[in-house]
Amino acid sequence: MNAGPTARTPYLRLQADYIGRVGVEVGIFVAVDHLRRKSLLTPEEEELYFDIDDWFREHLPAPPFYADGNSIGAVTWFKRATAGAMLARLEPLRDLLTVYGVRCDLVRASDPGTLVYEDEYQVGVIPRVRKPATPLPPGVVLGPTTSGSKRHLARRPD
């Protein structure tokens, strides 16, 4: 039996085209959160982001490294075998990034780093290579990954 490229790349990640504080391209949630922190999202877009983020928080186990803001600098990747429905749920966030001119790529890897966490849907890895953070647009602040819903951070009408 011939093992094609799919068999060799069991992990998938949606990531933006810029480097974040942990030295790798930021994931889709962080990239959209950067737009939110800069107050670029409309209230409807922000609500969409919170809804999708909350859905994932409810349906995916939380890797323990997020409990302290991810001080080890781990990165999560979906397992290909369970990624289909998850990636479909992320399409609206990918569309948001496109609207704001942020490229978001689906990256495949067979060995994304040193495994520090695994569950049914995802792995957490320590990347083998770290790069300097990319300068961000004015007003965007990199910060630790927050655990729990970000809904309490929503802009409130004046």
Side-chain angles (χ1 to χ4, degrees):
M1 180 171 167
N2 185 6
T6 301
R8 291 189 305 270
T9 56
Y11 305 110
L12 304 168
R13 185 166 192 263
L14 277 169
Q15 62 187 31
D17 65 346
Y18 64 93
I19 309 300
R21 70 176 184 86
V22 300
V24 297
E25 290 80 2
V26 301
I28 190 167
F29 284 102
V30 172
V32 174
D33 198 53
H34 288 161
L35 297 174
R36 180 196 62 78
R37 290 179 192 191
K38 194 174 180 201
S39 299
L40 292 175
L41 300 180
T42 67
E44 295 78 18
E45 291 168 338
E46 189 177 62
E47 194 64 26
L48 173 68
Y49 164 63
F50 292 143
D51 288 347
I52 293 170
D53 186 59
D54 286 346
W55 186 92
F56 275 87
R57 289 182 187 286
E58 181 180 336
H59 292 90
L60 273 183
F65 49 82
Y66 287 135
D68 74 350
N70 194 9
S71 63
I72 63 172
V75 178
T76 54
W77 290 72
F78 286 117
K79 292 180 174 180
R80 177 180 288 284
T82 59
M86 301 293 178
L87 293 174
R89 286 195 170 272
L90 290 171
E91 278 305 310
L93 295 185
R94 202 172 185 184
D95 293 344
L96 266 181
L97 292 175
T98 299
V99 165
Y100 289 97
V102 178
R103 196 177 84 224
C104 184
D105 299 315
L106 178 61
V107 179
R108 296 166 176 83
S110 58
D111 182 16
T114 303
L115 185 72
V116 294
Y117 173 80
E118 183 171 9
D119 63 41
E120 178 182 352
Y121 306 101
Q122 63 191 334
V123 295
V125 302
I126 301 297
R128 298 193 197 295
V129 176
R130 307 257 187 198
K131 305 169 194 169
T134 303
L136 296 175
V140 175
V141 178
L142 293 177
T145 304
T146 57
S147 59
S149 175
K150 293 176 190 68
R151 196 172 294 277
H152 68 284
L153 301 172
R155 285 184 285 157
R156 304 288 182 230
D158 295 332

